[in-house]
Amino acid sequence: MERMFLYGTLCHLPLLARVLDRPAETLETCPARLPDHALLLARGEGFPLILPAPGAQASGLLLSELTAGDLARLDYYEGGHGFRRDEVTVETGQGPVAAGIYVHDRSGAAEPGAPWKFGLWRARWADLVTEAAGEVMLGYPDRPPELNARRYRMMLARAGSTLRARAPGPASLRKPTRPGDIVETGRTQPYANFFAVEEYTFRHARFDGGMSEEMVRAAFLTGDAATVLPYDPARDAVLLIEQFRAGPYARGDSQLWSVEAIAGLIDPGESPEETVRREALEEAGIALGALHRCYGYYPSPGAKAEYIYSFVGEADLGAEAGGLGGLATEGEDIRAHVVPFARAMELVETGEIGNAPLILSLLWLARHRETTLCPA
């Protein structure tokens, strides 16, 4: 059996239990300190670096009774973040103890920043990072840890989607989901890059009261997204964006440029409202006023895990609005159009607007603009 001195994020026991695939109550831990070292936040990252600092003490946990399998899982998880195993002597309530430690290979981009504050990290990031660890470890042991590092931001985005999805939802017509309704017996991730595909083996409750036969289903995983349709009540005009899209290209569509609402993936730690305000500035250079929630929905629940939050945002669409925009760093080439609301509805009827979030937002606006946005 081995011992490890853990500091930083792995001192959060739910995360540690997720990595080790063990119940948290089975983990043998006690407080420990590494003399003459300090914890500093890696600049631009969400984890700390442990560095020599005469007179300081780095606090953490001594994790004991580790099997070879436990160490292999820890090596895999930490390796994806650029950490390697070393040896130290730490102070405990029972005296000095030799233990392993994970130290960062700072030959990469990680540089020390502000002092590490575990409480601040736990309040904002612990649930998100713990959920993302499930997807990281789904690749163990076959997926290279370096691939996890490249995909980690997207893993965090999907973790945020999962946490939002757990909020209670209405079930007045549909069957309410209860414990035991889904019995999962297998989960794999046969494709994983920026996006991913997961495959599940499970049985589910039937409407007749029984359980289905075991079945296999797959889902395409992205993060949640948010869209906004800017609307100027004074001008009764909307702002639409236009860009090339790979989806119509893959389908073989005769028209490859799509007219849409402003949209973007929800970044880790970001709310849908924050996303649309950020995207409006990036894609069209406009600041939004009041936001009105339209709908939240799965665009294709039979095959995709994506969930979309759609808004109408009040904006001044004067002479400066419209034109070219988008982030060059993301390869965006976007043209914005300011058109009367009636013209936008004509484009829906002719089929020139074939983008579902935009259609739904325009229909919401048609229903609410005279009472909610332009009250008499």
Side-chain angles (χ1 to χ4, degrees):
M1 297 291 183
E2 299 284 348
R3 293 183 291 245
M4 291 294 298
F5 174 67
L6 303 178
Y7 58 91
T9 63
L10 284 178
C11 290
H12 184 59
L13 292 185
L15 171 59
L16 182 59
R18 197 73 174 264
V19 171
L20 294 178
D21 194 26
R22 287 173 51 184
E25 57 269 20
T26 69
L27 302 175
E28 298 286 338
T29 66
C30 70
R33 302 170 306 281
L34 182 60
D36 298 319
H37 284 76
L39 298 179
L40 299 176
L41 183 66
R43 189 173 290 120
E45 302 288 351
F47 57 82
L49 304 173
I50 191 162
L51 299 171
Q57 290 196 90
S59 298
L61 293 176
L62 182 68
L63 177 63
S64 303
E65 302 297 319
L66 289 171
T67 67
D70 292 333
L71 286 172
R73 293 181 69 90
L74 284 169
D75 288 348
Y76 180 82
Y77 182 78
E78 291 291 273
H81 294 289
F83 287 79
R84 57 179 174 80
R85 212 188 317 167
D86 203 344
E87 295 182 359
V88 291
T89 298
V90 297
E91 299 289 340
T92 72
Q94 289 72 45
V97 174
I101 188 174
Y102 288 104
V103 294
H104 197 268
D105 177 8
R106 292 196 297 122
S107 61
E111 293 296 334
W116 166 256
K117 302 292 185 183
F118 179 73
L120 294 178
W121 173 85
R122 182 173 55 191
R124 182 174 181 186
W125 294 104
D127 290 346
L128 201 64
V129 172
T130 300
E131 188 63 38
E135 185 172 354
V136 172
M137 298 311 296
L138 194 59
Y140 174 80
D142 299 320
R143 183 188 302 148
E146 297 77 15
L147 180 57
N148 291 331
R150 293 198 300 271
R151 300 178 55 241
Y152 190 62
R153 186 170 181 82
M154 195 61 184
M155 290 179 178
L156 288 174
R158 282 197 288 273
S161 302
T162 299
L163 295 177
R164 284 188 293 272
R166 288 179 182 157
S172 61
L173 173 65
R174 60 182 170 179
K175 171 183 168 58
T177 302
R178 297 186 173 91
D181 279 353
I182 306 295
V183 179
E184 184 179 303
T185 57
R187 178 181 297 219
T188 61
Q189 204 173 65
Y191 171 80
N193 208 312
F194 184 76
F195 298 119
V197 174
E198 283 190 356
E199 192 170 84
Y200 316 96
T201 304
F202 62 91
R203 295 182 297 129
H204 69 77
R206 293 172 50 87
F207 292 120
D208 62 12
M211 292 293 288
S212 71
E213 296 295 322
E214 190 169 80
M215 59 182 66
V216 177
R217 294 290 185 270
F220 185 80
L221 302 184
T222 67
D224 286 354
T227 75
V228 64
L229 174 64
Y231 175 67
D232 187 333
R235 297 176 173 85
D236 194 25
V238 295
L239 183 141
L240 311 175
I241 67 165
E242 175 190 0
Q243 59 185 318
F244 170 83
R245 284 301 199 186
Y249 177 76
R251 182 173 176 254
D253 202 302
S254 63
Q255 300 297 327
L256 303 182
W257 274 258
S258 176
V259 178
E260 306 175 354
I262 292 169
L265 293 176
I266 300 173
D267 280 348
E270 193 175 53
S271 70
E273 291 82 358
E274 289 169 332
T275 298
V276 296
R277 292 189 185 280
R278 170 176 56 77
E279 291 288 346
L281 287 171
E282 291 176 2
E283 295 189 357
I286 61 171
L288 298 174
L291 292 175
H292 304 270
R293 172 78 178 271
C294 301
Y295 307 104
Y297 49 94
Y298 291 95
S300 184
K304 294 187 67 178
E306 182 182 38
Y307 189 86
I308 297 178
Y309 299 82
S310 286
F311 299 86
V312 166
E314 296 183 33
D316 179 0
L317 302 179
E320 298 299 318
L324 303 182
L327 292 179
T329 55
E330 296 184 7
E332 292 180 333
D333 178 42
I334 294 172
R335 180 166 62 170
H337 305 268
V338 175
V339 301
F341 173 76
R343 171 63 173 149
M345 294 303 291
E346 289 174 4
L347 295 172
V348 173
E349 294 302 320
T350 64
E352 188 166 346
I353 290 178
N355 174 266
L358 177 54
I359 293 171
L360 288 171
S361 298
L362 285 167
L363 293 177
W364 183 93
L365 187 55
R367 182 179 179 187
H368 293 279
R369 83 188 206 282
E370 293 185 2
T371 55
T372 303
L373 288 93
C374 304

